Amino acid sequence: MRLDRLYILVISLFAYACGSTEGGPGGGSHPLQQQALATAYTVRIPGSSPEEQAILLTQTVYPATREDNAVGAIILCPQDAAIAFTAMSRITHMPVNAPLLYLSEDGRLSEQTLREMKRLKPDGVFQDQRTDVYAVNVPPAEVQKVREVLGYRVRAFNEPDPVKLAELLDRWQAALKSDHPDEVIITALDHPKGMQHGLGPMGWNAHMGKGFAWVYTDSIPPATKEILKKRYGDHGSFIYLTGGPDVISDRVARELAQYGLVRRISGATPPATSAVNAGYKDYGRNHGWWWAWEERMFGWGIAQAGHNFIVGRPDNLLGMIPAAVLGHMGKHGPILLIEPDNIPKEVREYLTMVKPFATGPQETILNFAWIIGDTTQVSVRAQQTVDRLLSPYSVPVDTTAYLPKADTLQVKKE
């Protein structure tokens, strides 16, 4: 009789442990990470939707098996590019250490995202009352679901205007770090390709946690002026505009100059801007002299082999924004933008410049790239081209040249 009761107790405990949100990383309907397509120097993270892409990225970066490979918190936001862009720019970096996950297209928390949030098991941000989730413009019912189902602590940021959201997050970060970073990235909100030009510098912010603000092509909103007034460098802010005068006008650049030193990170196209950003470096004195000297050090400045890159399409904003976490943790590296079936000239020339050269097997320095999106986003042909550009060896486009011209070895003998 006692054995029967013990058996019932064990079965009951097992059933209780297998609740609706339990399971491994592949618990939802998205493909498992094992299905990624790999070449010698690239690995594809094949999300077919923004929500799925974000989940595959967190699976790649965060095993969440112990404290040193777990997230500090999770960013949760709707599938709104400007809102996600702002959140990734200002929340991700330390001490928060937060990847970004999306709500579904209809603004709800799907089962697959809920399961992934449970798998991640955030440590909680110590400096922010052990917050586990930063919910940015998330409906109250979904915030309550996170609290009730997962038991996570949630801080909600509710501001539908991306310009004002950037100012809100700037104040929150200043309270968290007791500082306003003097380096501020400026991106055009109203230009159709403004965010595309800003993707590369946004990746730098996810990596380093500098300031961020929006402007319009021909004007500066009041919230952005408030952000810039709070900087205390010897020259005020160090301001980095993403895109040329067609994206952020020279008139706006001159007006911004009253708040600090203005520089542009720009190319003729978004892919060209991403290549410029990968090699860009601004280093010097922020404030102070021989005492209390503090440097400024902005940009990747990569001009040699031995680095990682995040490669994807500029029009895949919702897929590329969460991919910036690959530059924040793991193999840090800049974002490079390409076309679906082609590598633009500027990106090709940049990768040629940083291409490794072959030495001994144990001495060769290698490059690597993550390919973001499934083959409808970036073709296999484009991935193979990136692979050849990263390789230290001269790999021909037509690899059939490697086939031996001799007769087939496995000839059946009579």
Side-chain angles (χ1 to χ4, degrees):
M1 188 67 176
R2 290 180 181 177
L3 288 176
D4 290 343
R5 290 178 180 177
L6 181 60
Y7 176 77
I8 293 171
L9 177 61
V10 169
I11 293 298
S12 300
L13 289 173
F14 179 77
Y16 176 78
C18 295
S20 61
T21 57
E22 289 288 344
S29 60
H30 55 279
L32 292 175
Q33 184 57 43
Q34 286 88 328
Q35 295 179 356
L37 178 63
T39 65
Y41 305 102
T42 70
V43 169
R44 182 187 295 268
I45 304 179
S48 60
S49 69
E51 187 181 7
E52 182 180 293
Q53 187 70 71
I55 292 172
L56 292 179
L57 285 159
T58 57
Q59 290 181 6
T60 301
V61 178
Y62 296 100
T65 56
R66 56 180 188 269
E67 185 177 354
D68 64 348
N69 63 31
V71 301
I74 300 165
I75 303 167
L76 185 64
C77 74
Q79 294 185 33
D80 180 312
I83 296 301
F85 194 102
T86 309
M88 200 73 189
S89 294
R90 293 308 337 255
I91 301 177
T92 297
H93 187 61
M94 302 300 186
V96 179
N97 186 21
L100 184 145
L101 292 173
Y102 288 120
L103 298 174
S104 62
E105 286 186 308
D106 60 358
R108 296 182 181 277
L109 185 58
S110 70
E111 176 67 15
Q112 64 177 5
T113 295
L114 191 68
R115 291 167 70 93
E116 180 64 2
M117 291 176 70
K118 181 165 187 176
R119 184 193 72 83
L120 288 170
K121 293 175 290 191
D123 288 336
V125 181
F126 178 76
Q127 296 90 333
D128 195 12
Q129 302 177 348
R130 290 291 185 186
T131 296
D132 299 304
V133 176
Y134 292 94
V136 185
N137 293 345
V138 175
E142 305 308 305
V143 171
Q144 190 62 23
K145 185 186 296 184
V146 172
R147 288 175 172 146
E148 290 180 354
V149 177
L150 300 178
Y152 289 168
R153 299 180 183 88
V154 181
R155 179 179 290 280
F157 295 111
N158 295 305
E159 177 50 72
D161 182 353
V163 176
K164 294 179 180 178
L165 177 63
E167 195 274 332
L168 171 61
L169 293 179
D170 190 69
R171 285 188 282 116
W172 165 74
Q173 274 282 358
L176 198 66
K177 297 181 178 179
S178 301
D179 185 31
H180 290 90
D182 294 323
E183 301 96 328
V184 182
I185 295 170
I186 302 285
T187 295
L189 180 61
D190 60 338
H191 192 280
K193 293 189 177 180
M195 276 186 280
Q196 294 183 20
H197 281 279
L199 272 173
M202 181 276 297
W204 172 256
N205 250 9
H207 173 58
M208 289 299 291
K210 301 301 182 180
F212 173 77
W214 295 102
V215 295
Y216 302 116
T217 298
D218 289 309
S219 64
I220 306 172
T224 294
K225 294 179 181 180
E226 288 301 313
I227 289 174
L228 297 174
K229 287 176 183 177
K230 295 171 182 174
R231 269 55 195 175
Y232 299 105
D234 283 356
H235 301 284
S237 300
F238 294 92
I239 300 169
Y240 303 90
L241 309 184
T242 62
D246 59 319
V247 180
I248 299 175
S249 69
D250 285 334
R251 185 172 70 83
V252 168
R254 287 192 294 271
E255 187 177 350
L256 287 169
Q258 67 182 294
Y259 301 103
L261 300 179
V262 178
R263 295 164 172 80
R264 285 190 188 272
I265 304 174
S266 68
T269 63
T273 297
S274 74
V276 171
N277 175 72
Y280 184 84
K281 191 73 171 181
D282 181 31
Y283 180 81
R285 181 175 60 87
N286 184 2
H287 59 75
W289 289 96
W290 61 273
W291 78 95
W293 188 89
E294 184 174 325
E295 69 178 5
R296 75 176 186 280
M297 187 173 63
F298 182 94
W300 296 98
I302 294 174
Q304 69 288 319
H307 294 279
N308 177 58
F309 302 97
I310 305 160
V311 178
R313 285 172 53 174
D315 56 350
N316 181 22
L317 285 171
L318 289 175
M320 292 302 295
I321 289 168
V325 74
L326 295 164
H328 162 64
M329 294 293 285
K331 297 180 177 180
H332 306 298
I335 291 171
L336 292 175
L337 301 174
I338 64 172
E339 297 166 2
D341 200 40
N342 181 54
I343 313 304
K345 175 176 175 288
E346 296 84 354
V347 176
R348 184 184 293 268
E349 290 177 347
Y350 174 75
L351 289 177
T352 300
M353 178 184 72
V354 300
K355 186 179 180 71
F357 57 90
T359 59
Q362 296 180 339
E363 290 81 24
T364 300
I365 297 173
L366 301 176
N367 287 337
F368 176 84
W370 298 104
I371 308 296
I372 306 304
D374 61 18
T375 53
T376 65
Q377 292 288 338
V378 177
S379 70
V380 173
R381 178 175 176 270
Q383 182 177 2
Q384 291 170 338
T385 304
V386 171
D387 183 76
R388 286 193 295 272
L389 289 167
L390 296 172
S391 172
Y393 308 103
S394 296
V395 181
V397 175
D398 182 9
T399 54
T400 58
Y402 287 117
L403 294 176
K405 296 179 180 179
D407 294 336
T408 303
L409 296 178
Q410 300 182 57
V411 178
K412 183 178 180 181
K413 295 182 180 180
E414 297 296 338

